[in-house]
Structures are given as structure tokens and as C-alpha cells.
Amino acid sequence: MNDSPPLGGNGPAAQVHTGHGTQNNYTFFSNGDADPRRLADSSQGKAPRAVAEDELKWLRHRFIHPVGYTTAYDVLEERHTVLVDGSPGSGRRATARVLLCSLPRKEGRFLELLPYREAEEEWLDPQQVGEADQLLLDLSGRDEQDWPHVEARLSGFRKVVRDRRAHLAVVLPHRVGRLLSPEYGALRVEISRPPRHRLEHDLIKRRLRLAGLDATVADPLPARLRQHLDQRPPLREVADLAHLLCEAGRSAGPGESFLHWCEAAIAAVTDCGPDVVDLLKRLRRAPHRALLLSAAMLHGARADTVHLAATRLLADVSHPENTTSLLERQGLGGRLERIRAGQGPDRLVRFDKLRFDEAVRDHFWDNHPDLHGPLRDWVGSALWLPGLTDADAERLVIRFAEQCCRTRRPEDLFHLVERWASRTDRGAAVRAAAHLLKYGVHDHRIGRDCRNRIYKWATDRNISKGLRRVLISVCFAVLPVRHPYAAMVRLHHLATHEGPGTEAREALVELALGDHRLHRWMLGRLARPGTQRNRGTDLALFLPLTDPARLLAVGGRAVPLVAEAEVVRSLVDGWRGVLRDVAWEAWRRPVYAWLGACVSAETRYAHLLLDVLVEACQESSEAQVRLYATARSWATGCSPGDASRGAVAEVVMQKISESQRSNRAAGNEEAPAP
């Protein structure tokens, strides 16, 4: 299951212990010239970090503590690392996330570490650990044979975690407990579900309360529901069942008891595949099957829209239309009844059983692989069906994405992303492509494939303009929610190949300046040899990252960025390249800003800005002359009577002179005074 608040649609619950959450509603058919950074942003303009915080709050509010939770919390708080173990379906990942977000904190942020190396990122990179961060490493998808390698890498990483007052929760691969060394065995905590359905009962009642329904109707649990829970389904399925109970309760007619809700919900989570097979045995003709699949993909849309979609589907699979006279054909209502669907007074099509539409979709994708291509192409053109609303389009995109993820066919998703993104004449298509890719990025089954494909696209300078806008959007608003460093790498490549535009650069700079950890990391990436794809682009990116207000801001930390040795090295290397290779007109104002900060900043660290500039030009007498001339130009532009600027310029000259004396003392060739 995808481990985030669900994106909408009728699919199963996304969070373990939770069930369905609030819907993220997308608006496909407006703002055709929208900022590309916002194409995939359905969070009312919130920063990725705020979205991540909202996800954690959403989960914590719905979470029920398993057996072992308190012990795991104590180990995490005291040892800064906990290894969460348990059988599949016990809620290990959700437990690890809630453990981290339950820690008392005034700073730090939640970060999900990749369980393997990707693209240019080092696996378990210590540079990604910030002060008081909460780090999740989900290894549940790794094999137990991988553990010795993981354990060796994890040891040094844990030291950095402790030194920086951070906390790390690791979800162990199943059955790896016997391979743990004594050191790691002491950090392992196994979680489990309590007996007699106590956890499941609490989960169901909480979901009923959150849905605004009377939770006491579940006291006690009916025998039919207890029998279902006796099978010990995974907690994600219990959460899904709880959501369906709420759905059945909201749509219940007068006099329907909680037992009726249970029957409907259990029927929905029980495999409906045989029912679909039985129905298809009676629906031999292609028009009926086309109507069935169209109703499943557009469940909740208007009847005439579903009918038109079915007609187009027949054409797309090269099946001739029914030659019977229009006057002789059965009415739409009768044909819908034949496929176990109907339409209410609102003319919206719905099946007569909860989740039957999902079972129909699953059946066609599982049993008709030759239809994958035609169905993909049909979805690609169905966004513009007459009468299709924004909500219908949203659900269609999500239902197609669900099938790509469930059947692990990311190439179908990528094909449609490229197709829609190329339609720059239709803003709705580009936005739909962004949301389709957003769904894939967040899915644990194909998320890695999506990140790798985004990297491949980002490094290709020949991608379409629309696809570039989609990638900027996903890398700015979606990927950073869980994988901010992966987003920065890909935005960096997009910026390198941007040509005359500035959208990727602006997105990268905004993302970096929004978090001091990303700011630090990006400065280091621009300074490290071997990572630059285009030196001119890197220097153009470097200058806006030198905002003195951001570098001098403490923000609850012990010292500002400019006082960190690692950042100073990056700044010196960056300024050295700027002063050597960039025209004076481009770096004059940034230098003015640094000099001005030395006058106005109420901090004892402002003088470090001058140290960086002087050290950056230490190896070039020409650069020293240019820096001092710029300082004098800035000082002479002050208002009469303002001596502070002149004093700063004199300090610059003194520091340059000291640098020259130091060079001479070291045996370097004498450089002329500025």
C-alpha cells in the first residue's frame, strides 16, 4: 500500500492503522499558464516540509498503539535509534513514523531515507542528517541477506545521528532478528497486535468518531465482524474495512443497523473477483463489456459521459459498433442494470455493491494483458470527454495510476505522462501528467522506478517543454515531501539543461533557501568537484544562495550557516569561481549585499562574510583588486555623514593586505597592493 494520506478515489487505505483520509482535490481545467512549481501542488501552496508535517499529524491522529510501542519509544528516546520488528501486516512502518513524530522537539524535521543508493546520492549520507532530525529508514523491502551490509553501513551513520541529537527509526526486514549482533539486538523491539481484537475494535471506533458517526454502535463487535477479524488480516486491511464501515454508515437507509454496515463493508473487502467472472460470463458481447469497464473507470460520472466513453473504448479496441438500429437497442438504464449498475436522480452511475468498480478494474488489468496498451491510450484521450467534471478527471487519473502501481507497470504510467505533457496546447493535460507522476512517486511499489525515470528525464536536454514543467512541479512540490535531496539532484540537472528559461533555477533556489539543511547541502554540491554539469549554470545558482540574511540567520541553531566550517569552505570555493569567471555586473549586487550586512546585521558573525570574500580571492591579485574596488564603489555611494560603509571598505583592505603578507611569508610571489 502507498504509505501516505490517500490521493483520492476508491482504492484501499494508504496509511497503516488509518483507512481513508482527507481527499486532495485537483483542479485540472483551470490556470493553463500556472507556475510550473504549482502544477502538482494540491496543498494550498504549502511548502513540502509543511505537507510532510501534515501527513504525520494525519497519521498520528488515527494511530492505535500496538503491543511494544511504549518500549520502542523508550529505546528511541534514550538510544537515539530503534529497530522496529514484527510480522508483515503488524503496522511496523506506521509505528516507526508515529514514534518519530511523537518525540518532543523544537527543531529538526522528518526525513525518509532511501533504503538503497539512487542516482548520484550516497546511501545513508551523513550530510543529510540535521540537528534534531527525525529519520526513517524502511528496510522492510530488503532481503535478510542484505542485513550484514546494512549493519556495517549503519554503525557510522548512527554516530552522526547521536552527535547531532537526531533520532533514527529503522523498519527491519522480516526474519532478520536472528542475524542481529548484540549491539543491534539491544535496539530491536518487536511490535504485535493485542489479542481478542482490542486494537482492531479501537481502530474501528476511532474511525467512526472521526467520520462523525456514533462509535457506540460498535459495542460490542457483531459476531460477523469478529469472524472476519479472526482471520487476522493485515492492519492496513482492517483500516480499509473501517473506512468502508464509515462509508456504509453515511449512505445507510432508515432502519439499517450496524450489522448491515458490517455486511456491506465485509462484502466489499472480500474478493469480488468471482462475482465479476460470473457477470462476464453473461456479458459476452463487446458493447456490454465496454460499458462495464467504462462504468468502472468513471464510477460516479454522469450516465451519458459513461456511455460516450464506452463508445470510444469500442472504437479504440477496433471493434465494430452494433449494427442494430438505434431504435431497436436497449435503453441505457437497462444496459446499466445488466452490468449491475444504475443511476440515481443525479444521473450518476454507481454499481450496486461497494468496491465492485475496483474489482472490475482489477479483473481487466489482471486477465487481459493485451488490453493494457489500448486502455492506456483510451485513458489518455478520455480526459476531454464532454460532460467530464474535474472530479471525474481526478478519479480517472488516480484509477489508472492505481492499476499501473498494483500491476507494477510503471512504463504505462511514464508513457501517458510523456503523452499528456507534450500537449502544451491543453493546460489540463500537463497538470494531469503532473498528478499522475505524483501518484507514482508516492507509491512504494513503483516509487523507485519513478524517481529513476525522473532522473533520466532530468538529465536529458531534449525533453519537451511540457515534460520539463511537469518535472519541475513534481521535484519542487512532491518529491521533497519525503526525499528532498533526490529532488535537489534532479532540479539541479533540469536547471543545467534549462536553456534560456529560469523556472528550474528558481524552483531549486526557493527549495534550498526554504530549509537550512538543503541550503547547506546545495552549497556543498555546487562546490564539490566532479558534480558540476555546467560551471556557468552552477555559478548562476550559487549567487542567489549567498543571501546574507539566510546565511546569518540562527533560527534556533547554535550558530548560523556562515559560522560552520563546511559551509565556509563551500562559500569560499563558490566565490572564487564567481570572482574569476563571472562578469562584474552579475556579482556586484551580491557583494554589495554582503558588505551591507556587515553594517546592518545585529550579529557577531557578520565579519565572517568579509573573511570568506577575502579568502576567495587570496590566490588572485586581480580578484583582490576587483573586490577592493567594488567595496570602495559601494562605500562612496552612501549618504553624506554615513561613515560605516567607509569603515567596512577599510576592513576589506586590511584583510586583503593581511592575506598578501601571509602569502609572502609562505614564500608566494608578492602581489601588488590594491
Side-chain angles (χ1 to χ4, degrees):
M1 303 304 298
N2 188 8
D3 200 11
S4 66
L7 300 177
N10 295 329
Q15 289 279 16
V16 178
H17 287 218
T18 58
H20 278 54
T22 54
Q23 302 272 338
N24 289 332
N25 295 313
Y26 311 139
T27 304
F28 291 150
F29 301 100
S30 62
N31 302 324
D33 298 321
D35 184 337
R37 287 170 287 184
R38 310 299 175 190
L39 282 174
D41 181 10
S42 57
S43 305
Q44 293 77 49
K46 288 185 178 180
R49 183 174 176 183
V51 175
E53 294 287 345
D54 286 348
E55 286 189 4
L56 291 173
K57 290 176 183 177
W58 185 89
L59 171 60
R60 187 178 179 186
H61 191 48
R62 291 159 174 79
F63 184 79
I64 304 295
H65 291 183
V67 175
Y69 177 87
T70 302
T71 302
Y73 182 89
D74 292 341
V75 171
L76 178 62
E77 186 177 41
E78 179 183 352
R79 306 289 296 276
H80 289 259
T81 300
V82 65
L83 309 182
V84 181
D85 202 358
S87 60
S90 60
R92 294 168 294 167
R93 179 181 170 85
T95 298
R97 290 167 68 89
V98 173
L99 284 168
L100 290 167
C101 71
S102 298
L103 292 166
R105 55 189 174 124
K106 296 181 180 178
E107 53 183 307
R109 51 106 194 247
F110 175 83
L111 177 65
E112 188 167 340
L113 303 170
L114 293 171
Y116 26 60
R117 187 181 187 277
E118 286 188 10
E120 300 169 23
E121 293 183 85
E122 179 183 355
W123 188 55
L124 294 183
D125 184 359
Q127 294 187 41
Q128 296 184 2
V129 183
E131 285 292 319
D133 279 352
Q134 301 86 46
L135 309 170
L136 171 66
L137 177 60
D138 181 10
L139 300 174
S140 60
R142 297 286 294 263
D143 294 330
E144 58 181 299
Q145 292 84 0
D146 296 336
W147 178 252
H149 168 70
V150 172
E151 188 177 54
R153 183 72 179 174
L154 199 57
S155 181
F157 187 79
R158 281 186 56 226
K159 183 180 184 304
V160 177
V161 169
R162 179 178 284 276
D163 290 345
R164 296 183 181 172
R165 300 182 298 112
H167 292 83
L168 170 66
V170 181
V171 181
L172 289 176
H174 187 43
R175 289 193 292 267
V176 82
R178 58 187 175 83
L179 302 176
L180 297 178
S181 64
E183 174 191 3
Y184 284 95
L187 301 174
R188 172 182 172 271
V189 178
E190 184 172 1
I191 64 165
S192 61
R193 294 153 69 169
R196 295 187 295 277
H197 313 313
R198 288 204 301 270
L199 186 147
E200 292 87 342
H201 193 183
D202 289 344
L203 188 154
I204 289 170
K205 292 183 65 176
R206 178 171 294 187
R207 291 296 289 122
L208 290 171
R209 285 195 298 270
L210 290 172
L213 299 171
D214 180 10
T216 62
V217 297
D219 291 327
L221 291 177
R224 179 70 180 92
L225 187 53
R226 291 199 306 272
Q227 291 170 4
H228 178 77
L229 296 176
D230 283 340
Q231 302 172 32
R232 304 291 283 180
L235 284 178
R236 61 180 176 272
E237 294 183 13
V238 178
D240 189 27
L241 175 65
H243 165 75
L244 287 168
L245 285 169
C246 297
E247 189 174 329
R250 283 192 291 260
S251 60
E256 289 190 1
S257 66
F258 183 65
L259 181 59
H260 288 92
W261 308 0
C262 293
E263 293 291 349
I266 293 172
V269 298
T270 304
D271 184 12
C272 296
D275 290 345
V276 176
V277 172
D278 289 341
L279 177 60
L280 287 171
K281 288 179 180 178
R282 301 192 298 272
L283 300 176
R284 295 292 186 180
R285 299 181 61 232
H288 293 143
R289 293 190 170 195
L291 183 62
L292 174 65
L293 183 52
S294 298
M297 291 298 292
L298 295 171
H299 194 241
R302 287 178 56 86
D304 50 352
T305 302
V306 173
H307 167 69
L308 180 57
T311 302
R312 291 194 178 182
L313 179 57
L314 277 174
D316 287 349
V317 296
S318 302
H319 190 283
E321 258 292 5
N322 193 336
T323 57
T324 305
S325 169
L326 293 177
L327 293 175
E328 297 179 34
R329 295 179 193 174
Q330 187 179 26
L332 180 56
R335 284 183 283 150
L336 288 173
E337 184 178 350
R338 188 165 184 170
I339 65 170
R340 296 184 55 178
Q343 51 183 321
D346 53 9
R347 296 275 295 167
L348 303 183
V349 172
R350 297 181 179 90
F351 287 100
D352 60 7
K353 182 179 179 181
L354 286 173
R355 293 282 175 84
F356 193 75
D357 60 312
E358 183 179 330
V360 171
R361 296 192 296 270
D362 291 352
H363 175 88
F364 276 95
W365 254 266
D366 290 343
N367 295 282
H368 297 276
D370 52 332
L371 283 177
H372 288 158
L375 286 176
R376 177 198 64 206
D377 296 339
W378 173 76
V379 170
S381 59
L383 280 184
W384 297 279
L385 286 168
L388 198 74
T389 67
D390 288 2
D392 296 332
E394 172 191 341
R395 289 191 290 265
L396 178 62
V397 169
I398 289 172
R399 287 164 183 165
F400 175 76
E402 284 174 344
Q403 293 303 320
C404 292
C405 296
R406 190 185 63 83
T407 58
R408 288 176 166 82
R409 292 181 58 88
E411 291 300 327
D412 287 340
L413 187 147
F414 301 150
H415 178 92
L416 209 49
V417 166
E418 289 185 319
R419 174 178 168 182
W420 279 339
S422 67
R423 295 295 306 271
T424 53
D425 59 319
R426 289 182 180 263
V430 178
R431 281 186 291 281
H435 288 291
L436 184 59
L437 190 55
K438 172 181 180 176
Y439 194 101
V441 163
H442 277 328
D443 187 90
H444 77 278
R445 294 160 295 196
I446 68 167
R448 184 182 188 184
D449 297 291
C450 289
R451 291 190 296 272
N452 287 338
R453 179 55 66 95
I454 291 173
Y455 179 83
K456 181 179 179 181
W457 278 327
T459 55
D460 182 359
R461 66 175 64 250
N462 296 317
I463 59 175
S464 69
K465 178 181 177 181
L467 182 56
R468 183 176 301 278
R469 298 183 80 231
V470 167
L471 298 179
I472 292 171
S473 173
V474 171
C475 290
F476 177 79
V478 179
L479 199 52
V481 172
R482 298 184 184 176
H483 306 294
Y485 298 100
M488 298 286 282
V489 169
R490 287 150 181 78
L491 277 174
H492 187 192
H493 283 287
L494 286 167
T496 298
H497 301 315
E498 193 158 38
T502 60
E503 293 172 336
R505 298 182 196 183
E506 291 171 357
L508 178 59
V509 169
E510 183 176 343
L511 195 59
L513 292 182
D515 188 305
H516 70 273
R517 299 162 185 81
L518 301 183
H519 193 177
R520 177 195 297 116
W521 186 86
M522 193 63 211
L523 286 170
R525 177 175 171 84
L526 294 173
R528 286 195 300 272
T531 60
Q532 294 91 343
R533 301 294 178 265
N534 182 297
R535 188 58 178 164
T537 300
D538 284 348
L539 293 178
L541 285 169
F542 171 79
L543 284 174
L545 295 181
T546 64
D547 178 5
R550 304 297 180 101
L551 294 171
L552 290 170
V554 177
R557 304 185 302 278
V559 295
L561 286 177
V562 76
E564 297 180 10
E566 173 189 339
V567 174
V568 168
R569 287 193 297 271
S570 300
L571 289 170
V572 168
D573 290 342
W575 274 115
R576 183 180 294 120
V578 167
L579 294 172
R580 181 185 62 237
D581 301 328
V582 177
W584 179 76
E585 291 77 11
W587 58 259
R588 172 175 59 92
R589 290 190 180 279
V591 169
Y592 280 6
W594 275 42
L595 298 173
C598 295
V599 175
S600 59
E602 298 179 359
T603 171
R604 59 190 178 91
Y605 297 104
H607 71 281
L608 295 175
L609 299 174
L610 300 184
D611 292 341
V612 167
L613 290 173
V614 172
E615 185 177 352
C617 60
Q618 186 176 20
E619 300 173 359
S620 169
S621 58
E622 180 181 355
Q624 290 173 335
V625 170
R626 294 175 73 189
L627 175 62
Y628 178 67
T630 301
R632 292 305 311 170
S633 172
W634 169 76
T636 56
C638 64
S639 58
D642 183 0
S644 56
R645 290 194 179 190
V648 170
E650 289 302 314
V651 172
V652 172
M653 180 177 182
Q654 292 171 11
K655 289 182 178 292
I656 291 176
S657 299
E658 292 171 1
S659 174
Q660 291 174 341
R661 286 194 294 271
S662 176
N663 285 345
R664 289 194 294 270
N668 293 337
E669 182 179 337
E670 181 174 347

